[in-house]
Amino acid sequence: MTARKPSLTKTVAAQGKRLLMDAALKLTAQSRSINALGLRELAREAGLNPNTFYRHFKDIDELGLTIIEEMSNKLRQPLRDLRRQAAESVVPPELAGIGWEENPLLNLQKATLATKETVKLFFDYVAQNPNAFILGVRELHGASPLLRQALRKVMADFAQDMADDIKQLKLLPMLDDVTLLEVASTISREMFQLSMDYIEQPEQRNAIFAQAEALVVMLFTGATVLKGHGRLLVQALEPLPA
Amino acid sequence: MTARKPSLTKTVAAQGKRLLMDAALKLTAQSRSINALGLRELAREAGLNPNTFYRHFKDIDELGLTIIEEMSNKLRQPLRDLRRQAAESVVPPELAGIGWEENPLLNLQKATLATKETVKLFFDYVAQNPNAFILGVRELHGASPLLRQALRKVMADFAQDMADDIKQLKLLPMLDDVTLLEVASTISREMFQLSMDYIEQPEQRNAIFAQAEALVVMLFTGATVLKGHGRLLVQALEPLPA
DNA sequence: TGTACATCAGTGAACGCGCGTTCACTGATGTAC
DNA sequence: TGTACATCAGTGAACGCGCGTTCACTGATGTAC
């Protein structure tokens, strides 16, 4: 019953676990769902004894959860960084605090440009990590309730991150928190959907990108108008005719 | 090589095919994807000899395609009818042709109300055919490329239907065809996504319904503003303050 | 510093089972003449 | 109207195979004293 320090072995020699997870990612990316993976098949791909699987995972679902958790960790922070980077590349920080009422046009431009920039960076990210996105979208509505639940959480976190960032960067100060989160959730869902098309139809990438941009702008605009700030927005968009 | 009339047997005695398709729907609805179904399992559920499967289908994918085709046929026309029904219940036909410029407020109200009504009817429809929607959303990003492709087509058709109806009913006469189709595609995708939540979280149905409504209104509004009709719309929404 | 023990990732053989698929057959229905 | 034949949905037995899982074992590394 003596307390023991966690052994180094776990982190140093967990090669098998890594190999199995990589094998799973590779096999699912083509055209498979995680639950359709055979444990022997996985071991074969990883170059390990089938039995070794049990040293690391109880069953395939547990493998799936581990992969999802890892990917969520790997994607979340970079996505936040992308957003900040985009917002700051558009407006110098000393102007960042200017309120909507004081300068609606600046704010709208800022939000729109930051958005476009973020969408662009997001799709670049997708193109560099296609397997992660394929697996995520597939299992989000896949057969395993456990994985579905886990991915729902991931999507909810992404949306919350986006809402937090938009609020903190004061990109859409006229939206209340609830509306902001709804809009962010929709954008999050749509971006993941569109990322599948982006991966599978490389020749359509420009069109998909434009569509994603347009969607975000529409949602921001629509939400703003409905929240009673329409007049200011329209004045900014279309100056009074002579 | 004599031409033969199609035999009646096909339509009369295709009990086995029906039984197998129903079994597949039942089994997938719980927590399975079509490709994870065993052909013996299917036969067992249908109360048939495993071998009978081959009398009707080449493999599981072909079964899946047949189901998808059937469901698409079953859903498409009713959805169109719902939309017409909703639009007509809102405005008497003799006023249906009034143009946007002549009476923006009427048009906006018409579109919004018709939309809300349609969304409501759509979710009722979802609640009555949960299995069809679960299967559709699951396989849309599922493991089988064949089924994915088929469901992409189905979704595209739904979106095109929606765009055609909106145009024909003159609900959003200020939007060009391309924008209209993009908006319809987004709404279509989001409605199917939300339908999963609607099925799985009966206690949240009011909230999900409200969210869906809000989304549609935001998209319509956003698209309208961006297409340069914002001023009219805003005037309709928020009359000039004293 | 040495020794005895515990932990841990990985191995290899073996198991029983359910799977997809094939083959030969049946009986009902439809068709030709 | 009768007869011979074709088609078709469904049956039942049999096959070989790959699967998940268990068991007993190994060798490397970490830990206690």
Side-chain angles (χ1 to χ4, degrees):
Chain A
M1 279 302 185
T2 354
R4 291 178 62 239
K5 277 188 292 184
S7 88
L8 282 179
T9 318
K10 235 173 211 162
T11 55
V12 168
Q15 312 161 356
K17 196 168 184 175
R18 241 299 39 91
L19 287 171
L20 286 167
M21 289 169 70
D22 290 345
L25 250 180
K26 188 177 169 195
L27 289 172
T28 49
Q30 324 283 353
S31 247
R32 310 284 295 278
S33 61
I34 285 190
N35 291 279
L37 292 177
L39 142 183
R40 289 182 105 100
E41 186 186 15
L42 226 33
R44 222 178 294 128
E45 177 73 29
L48 292 170
N49 189 293
N51 209 357
T52 303
F53 181 89
Y54 293 110
R55 301 281 161 235
H56 304 289
F57 307 105
K58 189 168 67 60
D59 52 26
I60 299 278
D61 260 0
E62 196 175 294
L63 202 195
L65 282 179
T66 311
I67 291 179
I68 288 168
E69 196 184 346
E70 188 187 60
M71 300 223 273
S72 169
N73 291 338
K74 264 196 196 160
L75 294 185
R76 238 177 123 175
Q77 194 53 50
L79 283 181
R80 300 202 81 160
D81 294 343
L82 289 186
R83 228 174 278 131
R84 264 150 224 292
Q85 191 183 321
E88 276 158 25
S89 77
V90 166
V91 182
E94 64 271 19
L95 288 183
I98 294 185
W100 167 257
E101 288 82 8
E102 303 160 43
N103 193 339
L105 186 56
L106 177 64
N107 242 299
L108 180 72
Q109 282 178 338
K110 192 170 75 172
T112 304
L113 288 175
T115 294
K116 291 189 178 183
E117 204 59 26
T118 310
V119 171
K120 187 167 159 41
L121 290 170
F122 174 76
F123 279 126
D124 285 350
Y125 203 76
V126 168
Q128 277 161 34
N129 304 271
N131 290 4
F133 285 87
I134 291 174
L135 184 142
V137 173
R138 179 153 305 155
E139 301 301 334
L140 176 60
H141 298 292
S144 158
L146 252 155
L147 301 191
R148 278 207 302 270
Q149 190 196 328
L151 278 160
R152 242 167 236 251
K153 173 76 163 44
V154 170
M155 295 293 289
D157 287 344
F158 280 152
Q160 189 63 59
D161 285 353
M162 192 189 300
D164 288 348
D165 285 346
I166 291 175
K167 192 173 182 186
Q168 199 180 326
L169 296 169
K170 297 188 176 148
L171 290 178
L172 296 169
M174 56 294 186
L175 293 190
D176 61 280
D177 288 4
V178 172
T179 307
L180 188 53
L181 183 56
E182 270 182 22
V183 169
S185 299
T186 302
I187 292 176
S188 185
R189 275 194 302 268
E190 285 292 310
M191 287 300 138
F192 276 79
Q193 296 271 318
L194 289 176
S195 71
M196 292 301 98
D197 297 339
Y198 197 81
I199 290 168
E200 287 176 25
Q201 304 166 21
E203 77 285 1
Q204 295 284 336
R205 290 194 170 176
N206 286 337
I208 295 164
F209 174 55
Q211 203 183 329
E213 264 186 9
L215 172 70
V216 175
V217 175
M218 275 184 210
L219 278 172
F220 282 177
T221 308
T224 304
V225 171
L226 290 177
K227 289 302 156 183
H229 297 270
R231 187 168 305 280
L232 282 166
L233 191 149
V234 170
Q235 276 167 9
L237 271 174
E238 31 173 296
L240 280 168
Chain B
M1 278 304 182
T2 355
R4 292 178 61 238
K5 277 188 293 184
S7 89
L8 282 179
T9 320
K10 232 171 211 162
T11 56
V12 167
Q15 312 162 357
K17 195 168 184 176
R18 235 313 25 97
L19 287 170
L20 286 167
M21 288 169 71
D22 290 344
L25 250 180
K26 187 178 171 195
L27 289 173
T28 50
Q30 324 284 352
S31 246
R32 310 285 296 279
S33 61
I34 285 191
N35 292 280
L37 293 176
L39 142 182
R40 290 182 104 99
E41 186 185 15
L42 225 34
R44 222 178 293 127
E45 177 73 27
L48 292 170
N49 189 292
N51 209 356
T52 303
F53 181 88
Y54 293 109
R55 301 279 163 238
H56 304 288
F57 307 105
K58 189 168 70 61
D59 53 26
I60 300 280
D61 259 1
E62 195 173 295
L63 203 193
L65 282 179
T66 310
I67 292 179
I68 289 168
E69 194 184 345
E70 187 186 61
M71 300 223 273
S72 169
N73 291 336
K74 264 194 196 162
L75 294 185
R76 238 177 123 177
Q77 194 54 48
L79 283 182
R80 301 202 79 160
D81 294 343
L82 289 185
R83 228 173 279 130
R84 264 149 223 291
Q85 191 182 323
E88 275 158 23
S89 78
V90 165
V91 182
E94 64 271 18
L95 288 182
I98 293 185
W100 168 258
E101 287 82 6
E102 304 159 41
N103 193 339
L105 185 56
L106 176 63
N107 244 298
L108 180 74
Q109 280 179 339
K110 193 170 75 174
T112 303
L113 288 175
T115 294
K116 291 190 178 182
E117 203 59 26
T118 310
V119 171
K120 187 167 158 41
L121 291 171
F122 173 77
F123 279 126
D124 286 349
Y125 203 77
V126 168
Q128 277 161 34
N129 304 271
N131 291 4
F133 286 88
I134 292 174
L135 184 141
V137 174
R138 180 153 305 154
E139 301 301 333
L140 176 60
H141 298 293
S144 157
L146 251 155
L147 301 190
R148 278 206 304 269
Q149 189 197 327
L151 278 159
R152 241 168 237 253
K153 173 76 163 41
V154 170
M155 295 293 289
D157 287 344
F158 280 152
Q160 188 63 59
D161 286 353
M162 192 189 299
D164 288 349
D165 285 347
I166 291 174
K167 193 173 183 186
Q168 199 179 327
L169 297 168
K170 296 189 176 146
L171 289 178
L172 296 170
M174 57 293 185
L175 294 190
D176 62 280
D177 288 3
V178 173
T179 307
L180 188 53
L181 183 56
E182 270 182 22
V183 169
S185 299
T186 301
I187 292 175
S188 185
R189 275 195 301 267
E190 284 294 309
M191 287 301 138
F192 276 78
Q193 296 271 317
L194 289 175
S195 72
M196 292 300 98
D197 298 338
Y198 196 81
I199 291 168
E200 286 177 24
Q201 305 165 22
E203 77 285 1
Q204 295 285 334
R205 291 194 169 177
N206 286 337
I208 295 165
F209 174 54
Q211 204 183 328
E213 265 186 9
L215 172 69
V216 175
V217 174
M218 274 186 210
L219 279 173
F220 282 177
T221 309
T224 305
V225 171
L226 291 177
K227 289 301 155 183
H229 297 269
R231 187 168 305 280
L232 282 166
L233 190 149
V234 169
Q235 275 167 11
L237 271 173
E238 31 174 296
L240 280 166

